[in-house]
Amino acid sequence: MPMDAIELLKDDHVKLLDLLDQLSKTTERAKKTRPELLEKIALELHAHTFLEEEIFYPAFKDSNGKENDKMYFEAKEEHRAVEDLIIPDLKKTDPASLQFSGRAKVLKELLEHHIEEEEEEMFVQARDTMSSEVLSELGVQMAAKKKELMKQGQYKA
Ligand SMILES: [Fe+2]
Ligand SMILES: [Fe+2]
């Protein structure tokens, strides 16, 4: 059985949280490991965010009119803060600095908060307002798109 849309996104979350955990355990001595992990996180996150913004979120938003709008716009803003501000900043930060440690911590906290809201609020709501057929169909579509995005691997946040 292929994963449905929500299972697929949750599976991504597990991967992302693990990578963030690994990054948070590094110190200023990890001059090589930090940029490598950051590169992996940026790629995973970009593919994940793309799937959410292009495929899952619009379907979620449409499934319940105005009720879902608030969650939709808040989640999108959090994506923007991470992808347009924190990740690009981190890429420019010396991995041997304490500033890197601070920024990596903020990235982890923001994403943990974001993922928690998606899983505890948005996805719970989605199970209510979207049919299992739609969620399965979206899952198939998203899995194919993810494969393509990860293969391209050319995303620079
Ligand atoms: Fe998200
Ligand atoms: Fe997510």
Side-chain angles (χ1 to χ4, degrees), residues 13 48-49 52 57 75 79 114 118:
H13 288 170
H48 180 76
T49 305
E52 287 184 338
Y57 280 14
H79 285 173
H114 176 76
E118 282 183 339

Side-chain angles (χ1 to χ4, degrees), residues 17-78:
L17 291 172
D18 175 55
L19 287 169
L20 289 163
D21 201 47
Q22 289 182 43
L23 185 66
S24 77
K25 286 187 176 127
T26 62
T27 67
E28 294 71 54
R29 281 178 314 193
K31 274 178 257 181
K32 245 188 79 180
T33 312
R34 279 183 160 181
E36 284 168 8
L37 278 170
L38 183 60
E39 210 40 62
K40 274 191 208 168
I41 290 170
L43 176 65
E44 264 301 325
L45 194 67
H46 193 88
H48 180 76
T49 305
F50 186 93
L51 296 180
E52 287 184 338
E53 294 209 359
E54 300 298 317
I55 303 175
F56 183 77
Y57 280 14
F60 168 75
K61 190 170 177 281
D62 288 346
S63 73
N64 200 26
K66 273 204 160 35
E67 288 300 306
N68 292 354
D69 285 8
K70 203 172 150 263
M71 266 184 243
Y72 168 85
F73 285 109
E74 185 186 333
K76 268 188 78 152
E77 269 324 292
E78 286 171 350

